[in-house]
């Protein structure tokens, strides 16, 4: 379904894209061809790319360069604990799509492939790469921070329904004419913006949204909380940069680590804030912090997430397993003679940090390219559904 949106945006407010830096192009191509001898010698390719940049300010990646560049960008993502499988990323080349309708149907396709297709739940890491931004020209983008996110509504009595993180974005979508059910897990519409069409809102079809209702292995009452979460986390507002070329629309996904849902999305005070509710249902002594009621409730919430996804046949990983995989990745990369940039504050899981091996060491903090970046404008759009960031003055 399409919700009518508005069709004007002043072109001067687009982030101007600079011409490609030939040095960055060369660095990328040298590394890409070095790591992939079957691509042949890099020198002839460099000559072509240098000429293209000189003539047009940009250059076009070959299919192989695009695919390997996307994998390198994942490999270089210092906040991601799940990088062991970087080589298996499925890269969908969508550079020819132009209209909002085409883009949206390819996003639906992305979610279907990512969700395992006919083998629903066999989650595959996938990236769809749309057209690069050309110097000085406006480009297509998706406003949402993820393809699937839940709406958040402040009700008249001051209470809250849904995900508070998306309150402003939800209000902006309502301002464009979208109407949610007003329930706790209403999937937000996707806002696709193209230079020719402005922003258009699309409702995802049900078949594109895998979700799991949460139950607990022992607590029968847990189902009554009415909790659920989606299965595919597909980040849609980071700019992919490969060899100096900018891809502002390149949504990608992996599978969830349970603690992202159980220890953050459903637990954080400024998200679904379920810890006190679970603790009350468990009958815990919440009169003092030192009973560790928060920790007990958190663990049960996380057990419910892992249990429910596994029972539903939906791929998910626990934080112990994912930590061990990350150490394997570190060893693999060391053998290959490559550094592994990592941000300790993101790598260490939000529960039982010290019980996982990733806690007990330091990491190199490097900003290597290719990589993914969050632009201030993309951040403002995902947060508030408007171009101007309210906090940037
Ligand atoms: N933490 C984010 C969320 O809960 C998702 C980030 C990406 N996570 C992943 N497993 N690939 O929605």
């Amino acid at each position: 379904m399409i919700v009518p949106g508005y069709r004007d945006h002043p072109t001067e407010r687009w982030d101007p894209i600079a011409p490609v830096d030939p040095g960055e192009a060369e660095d990328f191509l040298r590394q890409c061809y070095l790591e992939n001898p079957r691509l042949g010698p890099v020198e002839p390719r460099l000559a072509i790319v240098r000429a293209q940049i000189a003539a047009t300010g940009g250059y076009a990646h070959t299919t192989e360069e695009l695919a390997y560049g996307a994998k390198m960008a994942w490999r270089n993502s210092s906040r991601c604990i799940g990088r062991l499988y970087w080589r298996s990323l499925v890269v969908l080349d969508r550079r020819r799509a132009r209209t909002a309708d085409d883009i949206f149907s390819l996003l639906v396709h992305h979610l279907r492939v990512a969700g395992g297709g006919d083998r629903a739940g066999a989650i595959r890491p996938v990236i769809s790469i749309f057209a690069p931004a050309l110097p000085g020209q406006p480009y297509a983008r998706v406003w949402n921070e993820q393809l699937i996110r839940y709406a958040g509504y402040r009700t008249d009595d001051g209470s809250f329904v849904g995900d508070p993180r998306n309150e402003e974005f939800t209000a902006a979508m309502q301002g464009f004419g979208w109407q949610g059910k007003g329930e706790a897990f209403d999937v937000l519409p996707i806002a696709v913006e193209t230079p020719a069409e402005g922003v258009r809102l699309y409702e995802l079809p049900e078949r594109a949204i895998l979700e799991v209702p949460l139950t607990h292995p022992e607590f029968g009452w847990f189902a009554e909380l009415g909790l659920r979460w989606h299965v595919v986390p597909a980040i849609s507002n980071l700019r992919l940069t490969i060899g100096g070329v900018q891809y502002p629309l390149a949504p990608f996904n992996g599978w969830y680590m349970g603690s992202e849902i159980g220890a953050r999305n459903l637990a954080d005070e400024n998200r679904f804030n379920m810890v006190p509710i679970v603790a009350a249902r468990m009958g815990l002594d919440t009169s003092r912090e030192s009973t560790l009621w928060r920790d007990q409730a958190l663990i049960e919430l996380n057990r419910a997430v892992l249990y429910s996804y596994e029972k539903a046949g939906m791929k998910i990983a626990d934080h112990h397993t994912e930590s061990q995989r990350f150490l394997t990745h570190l060893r693999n990369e060391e053998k290959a003679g490559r550094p592994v940039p990592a941000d300790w504050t993101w790598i260490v899981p939000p529960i039982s940090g010290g019980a996982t091996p990733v806690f007990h060491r330091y990491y190199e903090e490097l900003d290597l390219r290719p990589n993914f970046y969050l632009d201030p404008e993309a951040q403002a759009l995902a947060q508030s559904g408007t171009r101007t960031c309210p906090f940037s003055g």
Side-chain angles (χ1 to χ4, degrees), residues 146 149 233 235 254-257 260 265:
Q146 287 191 32
R149 290 261 93 172
I235 310 289
W255 52 77
Y256 262 118
M257 181 162 80
E260 298 181 80
N265 301 345

Side-chain angles (χ1 to χ4, degrees), residues 345-383:
T345 65
W346 278 66
I347 295 295
V348 172
I351 38 168
S352 311
T356 66
V358 295
F359 179 97
H360 301 276
R361 50 161 296 159
Y362 293 109
Y363 302 99
E364 279 182 86
E365 290 182 37
L366 294 168
D367 179 13
L368 296 181
R369 291 181 185 197
N371 216 319
F372 297 97
Y373 295 94
L374 178 56
D375 297 323
E377 189 180 42
Q379 184 172 25
L381 286 168
Q383 198 205 311

